[in-house]
Amino acid sequence: MTLLLIGLGNPGARYAGTRHNAGPVVLRLLAEELRFGGWARGVAGSFAEGVYGGRKIVACTLDSYMNASGPAALRAIKHVSPGAFCIVHDELDLPLGSIRLRERGMARGHNGLRSCIATLPERDTFWRLGVGISRPEFGELTVEEAVALTKASGNALARLSTKGVDRSKDGAVTKHVLSDFSRGNLEVLRQVTLPSMYIALDTLLRAPQQ
């Protein structure tokens, strides 16, 4: 079975390292660590292939803007014809270092997911993996702090992710989401997020084919 991982983000150097591009950023880190082949341009984006757990994994970073992710994701899926696919996206309401894997659900305000739900034949019943980027109220998290948060229960994470959130500060949130990951953030992604990604991959590879 081939598993296709599709990272949602905005194209171009301006957005490449932003928190909103957490999906592509994490996929590139994963491909580097698992020693995938080089990235190559293809239908709807850039692709890299490798093997994990004896299964073929294809990572894809789309060349469309976030709001138009659905049509690009559909083209990528038709191009690869995978046994299963998973949409990888940024998750503002999860602390940096945490991930959340879901088999179905609504967009929850995420424009990229909204576009996918509106376009893909599966509608809202496809795997999606949210990569925590933290709200700006969290500030900078160290690796140790991020590890502690990943060990918190689901209810605790829900309380932490909304603690002190001022929903009126949308401008600050937008600025935060479109700002680049710091060097420390990237270290958290490498040391904390990636190990959780392997657990998610194991789950996806065991799941019934879509």
Side-chain angles (χ1 to χ4, degrees), residues 18-21 90 92 133 172-179:
T18 63
R19 291 172 172 82
H20 209 23
N21 274 40
D90 61 303
L92 181 63
I133 62 171
V173 169
T174 300
K175 182 179 179 181
H176 172 72
V177 167
L178 294 178
S179 64

Side-chain angles (χ1 to χ4, degrees), residues 10 14-22 25 90-97 131-141 161 165-167 169-182 184-186 189:
N10 291 313
R14 175 183 176 186
Y15 299 106
T18 63
R19 291 172 172 82
H20 209 23
N21 274 40
V25 168
D90 61 303
E91 184 75 56
L92 181 63
D93 285 328
L94 274 182
L96 183 70
V131 178
I133 62 171
S134 297
R135 285 188 166 270
E137 292 85 357
F138 270 78
E140 287 285 313
L141 290 177
S161 65
V165 171
D166 184 349
R167 298 290 178 179
K169 296 182 179 178
D170 290 340
V173 169
T174 300
K175 182 179 179 181
H176 172 72
V177 167
L178 294 178
S179 64
D180 285 346
F181 282 116
S182 68
N185 294 157
L186 291 174
L189 292 178

Side-chain angles (χ1 to χ4, degrees), residues 1 3 52-53 55 57 101 195-207:
M1 181 193 80
L3 172 63
Y52 175 79
R55 305 288 186 86
I57 308 292
L101 181 65
S196 298
M197 288 284 292
Y198 297 130
I199 298 173
L201 286 178
D202 292 336
T203 299
L204 291 167
L205 291 172
R206 288 195 305 267

Side-chain angles (χ1 to χ4, degrees), residues 72-124:
L74 183 59
R75 292 197 301 274
I77 293 166
K78 288 182 176 179
H79 174 63
V80 176
S81 296
F85 70 89
C86 179
I87 302 294
V88 185
H89 62 92
D90 61 303
E91 184 75 56
L92 181 63
D93 285 328
L94 274 182
L96 183 70
S98 299
I99 64 170
R100 179 183 287 132
L101 181 65
R102 296 173 182 265
E103 190 173 3
R104 58 178 55 84
M106 303 305 293
R108 303 176 67 198
H110 193 285
N111 289 332
L113 286 178
R114 183 179 293 115
S115 178
C116 289
I117 290 170
T119 306
L120 299 179
E122 293 82 3
R123 306 298 290 178
D124 61 349

